[in-house]
Amino acid sequence: MGKTPTRSDLSYWQNGSYDWISISDLNTDRKYISDTKERITTKAVRESGIKKIPANTVIMSFKLSIGKTAITSHDMFSNEAIMAFIDRKVIRINPDYIYYLLHALDWNKRANKAVKGRTVNKKIISQTQVNIPDYQTQLRIVKIMDSTRKRVKIQKDILSKLDTLIKARFVEMFGDPLRNDKTWPISKLKLLTTKVGSGATPKGGKQSYKKEGITLVRSMNVHDGEFVYKDLAYIDTAQAHDLDNVELQPKDVFINITGASVARSCVIPDNILPGRVNQHVAIIRCKENLLNYIFLNRLFLNSSFKQKLLAMGQAGGATRQALTQEQLKKLNLILPPIELQNEFASFVQQVDKSKVAIQKSLDETQILFDSLMQKYFS
């Protein structure tokens, strides 16, 4: 395991020559690690006694974020939250095979509870028993896993580029919504909507949720440009009746108004109708002759406009970010002609159709990848 040279001696850190790995440098989509946010100096290496991690060595985080795995592309160093698996040459082992093996193990089941979260230690890791097949079998498994992993990455890259395409199209058609370099008319949101409102948590809190029934949208379901079905809550008809003032309708736009996810927004998916929202989510209902709901959501997702929303959420000086309904109603928006908004919305819908097809293929490939991990490393 690595260590952190004292930060009180700046000569250990300024103009460093050696990559020093922390957990934040480990990206689950990247097998090899070749660069780090911080570097340490020759003096730090000499005086701190930190151990070198040789090139082509598998490393894994074992504190806080347990199980983040990578392979070093060159000689590197790490902090004390990362374990290096240095080959003792007892048997012939392929590093890529060990990478997948460690990635497949459920370390959380082996972890101990600590003050700052779950953690595993050197003893737990060292005593973990694993199957190591012959070297040629290792290579065959690695080839299959690499091929499947590559397919996952390609599909994720396509989805990312389609998102970038929509963002670029928005700027091309409407310019920067804060600078308003295309000099569009400006209007307050309340003049362009028939509803801006949030709901509440039913009496009894989470304990009153049902296994099925009417959907209750919470902030965890609203991500930027995407509705997430995981952890979806349900309420019964009586509970929903108490929230009839926020009964969802087609073309509603969700925006989170409290907490760490404030200002995240997405368009309502039709398959959760009828539904309600709790107090952490606002619904915005557009006047269709003035404001297109897809245009509005993409305006909220625009990077410069997003910063404006986040700044509004911090304006009250509270420790927890929050947007009020009154702030939203008074929000100034650019207002291009509705025909242009509709044209942009049609473009987004066409791109979204492509995204749905790619996402389906990605989900299938991910299932294949997970099943292969189970087959080879369970």
Side-chain angles (χ1 to χ4, degrees):
M1 55 187 286
K3 68 189 305 182
T4 301
T6 178
R7 292 189 178 276
S8 61
D9 190 337
L10 296 181
S11 66
Y12 285 179
W13 299 93
Q14 290 181 341
N15 302 314
S17 303
Y18 301 99
D19 285 307
W20 180 81
I21 310 165
S22 64
I23 292 177
S24 62
D25 295 312
L26 301 180
N27 186 329
T28 54
D29 289 331
R30 184 175 62 174
K31 184 197 289 190
Y32 288 89
I33 182 168
S34 57
D35 56 85
T36 59
K37 296 180 180 68
E38 294 185 283
R39 295 163 67 86
I40 57 176
T41 62
T42 301
K43 182 181 177 182
V45 173
R46 183 177 65 250
E47 296 182 1
S48 71
I50 190 171
K51 296 178 181 179
K52 179 179 70 175
I53 302 173
N56 218 30
T57 296
V58 180
I59 60 173
M60 185 186 79
S61 62
F62 66 100
K63 295 179 180 178
L64 302 178
S65 297
I66 303 173
K68 284 189 172 183
T69 314
I71 303 174
T72 55
S73 66
H74 56 278
D75 291 355
M76 306 175 85
F77 298 87
S78 80
N79 70 10
E80 61 279 2
I82 293 172
M83 193 75 69
F85 295 80
I86 299 174
D87 191 356
R88 295 176 60 189
K89 310 297 183 183
V90 176
I91 59 173
R92 196 176 183 191
I93 301 177
N94 180 272
D96 296 83
Y97 180 85
I98 297 300
Y99 166 84
Y100 284 117
L101 172 65
L102 295 177
H103 189 71
L105 291 172
D106 188 351
W107 292 105
N108 284 307
K109 288 183 178 179
R110 297 169 170 82
N112 296 320
K113 289 184 178 179
V115 175
K116 294 185 178 180
R118 301 186 69 83
T119 181
V120 293
N121 55 37
K122 186 175 180 179
K123 182 179 179 181
I124 292 173
I125 296 173
S126 297
Q127 292 182 351
T128 298
Q129 293 189 334
V130 296
N131 293 317
I132 307 294
D134 66 83
Y135 192 71
Q136 291 304 316
T137 300
Q138 293 177 44
L139 295 182
R140 179 178 62 82
I141 292 172
V142 166
K143 184 177 181 180
I144 293 170
M145 298 310 303
D146 279 349
S147 175
T148 311
R149 179 191 177 97
K150 183 177 180 180
R151 285 172 58 188
V152 169
K153 185 178 184 306
I154 289 172
Q155 289 160 344
K156 286 183 176 180
D157 287 345
I158 293 173
L159 287 174
S160 177
K161 288 176 181 178
L162 289 174
D163 279 332
T164 301
L165 178 64
I166 292 174
K167 293 175 183 177
R169 183 64 171 161
F170 181 95
V171 174
E172 178 188 349
M173 293 182 68
F174 307 113
D176 185 284
L178 290 190
R179 291 198 310 266
N180 192 15
D181 40 9
K182 291 185 180 287
T183 65
W184 303 115
I186 301 294
S187 179
K188 292 191 181 303
L189 183 63
K190 66 180 179 181
L191 301 177
L192 307 173
T193 56
T194 60
K195 188 174 190 59
V196 177
S198 61
T201 297
K203 294 177 182 179
K206 294 180 180 179
Q207 289 71 29
S208 68
Y209 294 160
K210 312 303 177 185
K211 292 184 178 180
E212 57 183 24
I214 296 173
T215 301
L216 179 69
V217 176
R218 299 177 290 171
S219 58
M220 65 184 66
N221 305 123
V222 180
H223 287 223
D224 273 338
E226 178 185 9
F227 186 85
V228 176
Y229 293 88
K230 183 181 179 182
D231 298 321
L232 202 58
Y234 299 94
I235 54 180
D236 60 29
T237 303
Q239 292 171 312
H241 180 69
D242 293 335
L243 294 172
D244 277 348
N245 64 316
V246 284
E247 181 177 354
L248 302 179
Q249 294 184 14
K251 303 182 181 180
D252 281 347
V253 174
F254 295 133
I255 182 166
N256 289 346
I257 55 176
T258 63
S261 65
V262 69
R264 289 197 316 214
S265 69
C266 69
V267 170
I268 183 174
D270 289 340
N271 60 357
I272 67 168
L273 296 171
R276 307 291 189 271
V277 296
N278 73 1
Q279 69 274 23
H280 303 299
V281 182
I283 57 173
I284 300 176
R285 195 163 296 148
C286 302
K287 293 180 180 178
E288 293 189 35
N289 61 323
L290 295 175
L291 185 63
N292 183 287
Y293 70 105
I294 294 175
F295 168 80
L296 176 64
N297 182 55
R298 284 292 161 178
L299 176 63
F300 286 161
L301 296 177
N302 176 270
S303 58
S304 60
F305 203 86
K306 170 77 74 177
Q307 291 306 311
K308 177 180 178 178
L309 291 170
L310 291 173
M312 287 170 54
Q314 295 174 329
T319 55
R320 190 182 192 197
Q321 288 184 312
L323 288 167
T324 66
Q325 293 179 42
E326 198 58 32
Q327 282 178 312
L328 289 175
K329 290 176 182 179
K330 293 180 179 179
L331 190 61
N332 285 321
L333 312 179
I334 59 171
L335 191 62
I338 189 62
E339 295 80 11
L340 199 63
Q341 295 180 44
N342 292 341
E343 179 186 334
F344 171 73
S346 296
F347 172 79
V348 173
Q349 289 171 323
Q350 289 301 314
V351 175
D352 281 346
K353 288 180 182 179
S354 298
K355 288 175 63 178
V356 168
I358 297 298
Q359 185 64 56
K360 181 182 178 183
S361 178
L362 172 59
D363 292 342
E364 292 171 351
T365 307
Q366 188 65 58
I367 290 171
L368 172 62
F369 181 87
D370 294 341
S371 66
L372 289 171
M373 291 285 274
Q374 180 72 17
K375 174 182 177 180
Y376 294 128
F377 304 106
S378 63

